[in-house]
């Protein structure tokens, strides 16, 4: 089936954990992380033709992120929690969008391409080097934000959208 937290869905017969490098090949039942425990991985590779969906849950990535397939986190949270510098490459996420992004890496995370965040950006530790690639999204259903509760920072330019109902403007 598609349930991420089912050990029998993995060739290692284990639910992925922080120390494992995970590769998602092109399979019939693409994994979906929507309920149960959050997911923890070291390196995450999503091969061409495969789809990995995070919805109403969180994935913690402590290593590298390599995506040739589709990584859909428009309904979930991506936590970059490595100990050495991490990079989020260009066009890694479906529609270049995630619901929430958390940086908990004292060595920092760098955006190498456009990324829109529809809900929250939280920098628990370290920094997020936006390189002008970060957009905080705003739609009829809500406006994203940078959560100031962490001890880290966002560096570089950030684009902040603001939804205005029809007939209003600047």
């Amino acid at each position: 089936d598609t349930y991420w937290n089912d050990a029998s869905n993995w060739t290692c017969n284990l639910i992925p954990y922080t120390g494992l490098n995970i590769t998602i090949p092109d399979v019939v039942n693409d994994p979906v992380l929507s309920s149960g425990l959050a997911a923890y991985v070291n390196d995450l590779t999503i091969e061409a033709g495969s789809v990995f969906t995070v919805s109403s849950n969180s994935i913690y990535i402590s290593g590298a992120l390599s995506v040739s397939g589709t990584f859909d986190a428009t309904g979930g949270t991506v936590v970059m929690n490595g100990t050495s510098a991490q990079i989020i490459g260009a066009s890694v996420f479906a529609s270049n969008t995630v619901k929430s992004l958390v940086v908990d890496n004292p060595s920092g995370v760098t955006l190498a391409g456009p990324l829109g965040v529809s809900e929250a950006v939280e920098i628990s530790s370290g920094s997020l080097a936006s390189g002008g690639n970060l957009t905080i999204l705003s739609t009829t259903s809500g406006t994203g934000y940078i959560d100031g509760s962490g001890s880290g920072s966002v560096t570089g330019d950030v684009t902040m959208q603001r939804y205005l109902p029809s007939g209003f403007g600047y």
Side-chain angles (χ1 to χ4, degrees):
D1 61 29
T2 63
Y3 187 54
W4 176 280
N5 287 311
D6 182 351
S8 67
N9 286 334
W10 299 96
T11 56
C12 60
N13 226 14
L14 297 168
I15 297 171
Y17 59 88
T18 302
L20 288 180
N21 295 331
I22 297 298
T23 298
I24 300 173
D26 184 7
V27 293
V28 174
N29 294 317
D30 291 312
V32 176
L33 179 63
S34 61
S35 63
L37 303 172
Y40 294 83
V41 301
N42 187 41
D43 295 346
L44 177 62
T45 302
I46 302 171
E47 294 183 343
S50 62
V51 178
F52 173 43
T53 303
V54 178
S55 177
S56 302
N57 210 326
S58 300
I59 182 156
Y60 291 73
I61 303 167
S62 60
L65 179 58
S66 175
V67 179
S68 297
T70 302
F71 187 177
D72 184 351
T74 55
T77 300
V78 176
V79 181
M80 303 301 286
N81 68 330
T83 56
S84 59
Q86 292 176 285
I87 297 172
I88 297 175
S91 302
V92 165
F93 299 103
S95 304
N96 291 324
T97 303
V98 298
K99 179 180 175 187
S100 293
L101 175 66
V102 176
V103 173
D104 191 8
N105 180 335
S107 298
V109 174
T110 299
L111 291 181
L115 181 64
V117 179
S118 62
E119 192 168 281
V121 175
E122 178 185 336
I123 315 300
S124 296
S125 70
S127 65
L128 174 62
S130 73
N133 291 308
L134 179 61
T135 300
I136 306 300
L137 303 173
S138 182
T139 66
T140 57
S141 60
T143 298
Y145 60 96
I146 296 176
D147 181 336
S149 65
S151 63
S153 62
V154 176
T155 63
D157 291 341
V158 175
T159 300
M160 178 71 186
Q161 293 182 346
R162 182 66 183 145
Y163 172 79
L164 297 171
S166 178
F168 294 94
Y170 289 90

